[in-house]
Amino acid sequence: MNWKRGGLMADRCIYFVEGSCEQQLVRALREPPSLLIPGKIKIFNVVQKLLPKSQLLSIQPGTMIVFAFDTDVPVAGNLKKNIELLKRYCSKVEIIYLAQVLNLEDELVRCTDVKNVQELTKSIGIHQFKSDFCKMKTNECRYMLERHCFDIGRMWMCEVPQVFNFVERNGNRVRV
């Protein structure tokens, strides 16, 4: 399946997500009816680490690269360098930014009807929420989001902190 994005035909998609909670969210949002385009999910924090050259060389032309990352730590040097590396070693890729302002938990509160993220999973604290969220079956996670009026249109669309101003607000391009 090809997706027309910004003049490119994306034949494949790779999501680089910060952790297992983001992985769970992307999986849940790909459940039918899909809200995100399908793709491979790799846990890799692009704000903290540099993509290895071996990883970059394995990315095929026409790939949509999706970076999902938190913005609560105001350090963007590695993210900038990862973008440069992608542009240097990969041809005809489109980079999509899913900037989480300030983190995934804040995004989930903003996009649902809950006042704090623990309400989603009925967890006691934030650490238990993360554990409970990641342990859910993918379809159960999707159902839980729908039950709490999840709005994909609000996800990843907030103004980022100034240090991340170079990041394009293009998260809507990965939506189905």
Side-chain angles (χ1 to χ4, degrees):
M1 179 183 284
N2 291 331
W3 301 280
K4 182 92 169 141
R5 300 282 188 236
L8 291 174
M9 289 299 281
D11 294 320
R12 58 202 56 83
C13 179
I14 303 171
Y15 292 85
F16 288 96
V17 299
E18 188 171 296
S20 53
C21 288
E22 287 85 358
Q23 179 182 45
Q24 171 74 306
L25 178 65
V26 170
R27 283 182 179 154
L29 296 179
R30 293 183 320 180
E31 279 286 301
S34 289
L35 297 175
L36 297 179
I37 63 171
K40 188 173 192 171
I41 304 170
K42 296 184 177 199
I43 295 176
F44 189 90
N45 190 328
V46 295
V47 173
Q48 291 182 357
K49 301 183 212 168
L50 294 178
L51 289 163
K53 191 173 180 181
S54 60
Q55 176 76 53
L56 294 164
L57 294 174
S58 71
I59 297 172
Q60 298 178 16
T63 301
M64 181 182 291
I65 304 297
V66 182
F67 287 162
F69 56 94
D70 290 349
T71 60
D72 55 349
V73 177
V75 179
N78 282 341
L79 180 60
K80 285 181 181 178
K81 183 71 174 167
N82 279 321
I83 294 166
E84 291 170 18
L85 290 169
L86 273 171
K87 290 178 179 178
R88 182 181 319 149
Y89 292 106
C90 306
S91 63
K92 298 180 183 173
V93 296
E94 180 180 11
I95 305 171
I96 306 297
Y97 304 98
L98 304 181
Q100 299 173 158
V101 180
L102 292 170
N103 54 42
L104 178 64
E105 295 83 4
D106 292 334
E107 289 286 336
L108 289 172
V109 169
R110 185 175 25 265
C111 299
T112 60
D113 63 359
V114 299
K115 289 186 177 35
N116 67 62
V117 76
Q118 295 95 307
E119 291 176 46
L120 291 173
T121 56
K122 297 180 175 70
S123 303
I124 295 169
I126 191 69
H127 294 296
Q128 185 183 353
F129 162 78
K130 289 179 179 186
S131 175
D132 293 345
F133 186 80
C134 292
K135 286 179 186 174
M136 296 176 88
K137 291 182 180 175
T138 304
N139 61 341
E140 290 172 356
C141 182
R142 177 63 180 268
Y143 176 71
M144 178 265 310
L145 291 169
E146 290 172 356
R147 195 173 61 246
H148 287 282
C149 306
F150 179 77
D151 180 359
I152 187 78
R154 299 184 74 187
M155 193 77 181
W156 304 303
M157 296 308 294
C158 277
E159 194 76 25
V160 296
Q162 187 172 358
V163 71
F164 293 97
N165 275 346
F166 63 93
V167 171
E168 186 179 350
R169 290 175 56 193
N170 62 359
N172 60 330
R173 292 184 186 169
V174 76
R175 296 184 194 141
V176 174

